C-alpha cells in the first residue's frame, strides 16, 4: 500500500536523522559523507530539518510567540542564509592562505556544526523555560531562555568547530585555529545583537525580530 511505503520512508529518514544528531557528538566522527559531491549525502536535507525545528523552538520559547507558517518559513530562510554566510566567510578566510580549499568542503564543515548547535541552543531555551516554570515560575522569562540559547549555541560551536574545520582536506592547524576563532567571534556578535533586538521587540509589541 502507498501509505505503508510512505510510513516506511518516513521511518527511515527519522532513523537517519537521529543517527545524524548522535554521530555529531562522537569523539571520532565519520566524515566520509561530508562532501556535497556525494549523491547520497543528506547534510543539506538534515540541516533544513534542523533549521525548521530550531526556528520553531526559538520563536516559541525565546520570542514567546506562536509562529505562523509564514513566520516560521521566514525564520528558516534567515537562519539558512546566515549559515551560508558563515560558510562563505570560512571559505574566504581559508582561501587567503590555502588555494587548495574548495567550497564543496567548507560548506559541509559549517553545516556539520551550525545546524546542530542552533538546535541545541533552542532546545536549551525550551528546557530552561519549563524548568523555570516548575522551580521558580517568576523566573520563566524570555531573557533567561534567550541567554541559555546563546550559551549553549556558543559552547557547541567552540567545542566542535575546530574539529569540523580540521577535517577539511589540506587545512593546517594554525588555519583551523584562526578561522575557528573568527567564526565563533562573529557568531557571538550576531547572537548578542539578536538578544538585544529580542529584548527591544518584546518591550515594544509593535516591533519585529528575527533570530
Amino acid at each position: 500500500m502507498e501509505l505503508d511505503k510512505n510510513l516506511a520512508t518516513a521511518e527511515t529518514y527519522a532513523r537517519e536523522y537521529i543517527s545524524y544528531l548522535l554521530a555529531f557528538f562522537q569523539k571520532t566522527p565519520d566524515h566520509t559523507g561530508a562532501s556535497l559531491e556525494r549523491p547520497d549525502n543528506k547534510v543539506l536535507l538534515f540541516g533544513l530539518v534542523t533549521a525548521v525545528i530550531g526556528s520553531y523552538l526559538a520563536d516559541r520559547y525565546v520570542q514567546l510567540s506562536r509562529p505562523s507558517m509564514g513566520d516560521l518559513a521566514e525564520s528558516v530562510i534567515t537562519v539558512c542564509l546566515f549559515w551560508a554566510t558563515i560558510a562563505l566567510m570560512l571559505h574566504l578566510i581559508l582561501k587567503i592562505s590555502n588555494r587548495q580549499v574548495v567550497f564543496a568542503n567548507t560548506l559541509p564543515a559549517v553545516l556539520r556544526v551550525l545546524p546542530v548547535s542552533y538546535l541545541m541552543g533552542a532546545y536549551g531555551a525550551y528546557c530552561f523555560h519549563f524548568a523555570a516554570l516548575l522551580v521558580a515560575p517568576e523566573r520563566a522569562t524570555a531573557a533567561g531562555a534567550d541567554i541559555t540559547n546563546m550559551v549553549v549555541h556558543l559552547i557547541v560551536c567552540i567545542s566542535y568547530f575546530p574539529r569540523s574545520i580540521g577535517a577539511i582536506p589540506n587545512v593546517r592547524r594554525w588555519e583551523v585555529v584562526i578561522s575557528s576563532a573568527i567564526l565563533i567571534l562573529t557568531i557571538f556578535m550576531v547572537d548578542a545583537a539578536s538578544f538585544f533586538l529580542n529584548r527591544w521587540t518584546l518591550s515594544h509589541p509593535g516591533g519585529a525580530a528575527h533570530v
Side-chain angles (χ1 to χ4, degrees):
M1 294 177 61
E2 193 67 25
L3 178 59
D4 292 338
K5 184 184 296 186
N6 292 336
L7 290 176
T9 301
E11 181 181 0
T12 299
Y13 274 97
R15 289 178 181 274
E16 291 181 354
Y17 181 69
I18 293 173
S19 297
Y20 153 80
L21 293 177
L22 295 177
F24 175 81
F25 297 100
Q26 293 178 357
K27 291 185 178 180
T28 55
D30 177 16
H31 291 310
T32 58
S35 174
L36 291 180
E37 296 170 355
R38 288 174 57 94
D40 59 333
N41 192 274
K42 298 183 176 66
V43 65
L44 292 176
L45 174 61
F46 290 158
L48 180 60
V49 172
T50 304
V52 173
I53 299 172
S55 293
Y56 175 81
L57 291 175
D59 285 348
R60 184 69 183 87
Y61 298 105
V62 173
Q63 298 189 39
L64 300 182
S65 65
R66 295 184 181 275
S68 64
M69 290 299 295
D71 292 336
L72 184 60
E74 185 177 353
S75 296
V76 170
I77 292 172
T78 301
V79 168
C80 289
L81 287 176
F82 175 67
W83 294 345
T85 302
I86 293 295
L88 181 60
M89 281 184 58
L90 174 61
H91 181 71
L92 294 177
I93 293 168
L94 294 177
K95 203 70 173 177
I96 292 174
S97 60
N98 193 333
R99 296 295 178 181
Q100 298 179 344
V101 173
V102 295
F103 193 66
N105 289 325
T106 53
L107 178 58
V110 170
L111 293 181
R112 283 197 297 266
V113 177
L114 279 186
V116 178
S117 66
Y118 180 65
L119 178 60
M120 292 297 100
Y123 182 69
Y126 164 84
C127 292
F128 172 89
H129 178 82
F130 282 101
L133 286 177
L134 292 174
V135 178
E138 70 279 2
R139 301 197 176 197
T141 63
D146 205 349
I147 291 173
T148 303
N149 176 37
M150 287 177 54
V151 170
V152 174
H153 186 204
L154 287 172
I155 288 176
V156 176
C157 287
I158 291 170
S159 300
Y160 291 95
F161 248 134
R163 186 184 73 176
S164 186
I165 296 174
I168 300 175
N170 305 311
V171 172
R172 291 159 287 193
R173 184 179 296 273
W174 67 269
E175 293 172 325
V176 172
V177 173
I178 292 176
S179 58
S180 296
I182 293 174
L183 295 189
I184 291 168
L185 179 60
T186 301
I187 292 168
F188 169 75
M189 291 189 296
V190 171
D191 280 355
S194 295
F195 173 81
F196 289 110
L197 180 59
N198 287 335
R199 304 286 65 74
W200 183 88
T201 300
L202 290 176
S203 61
H204 299 77
H210 304 288
V211 180

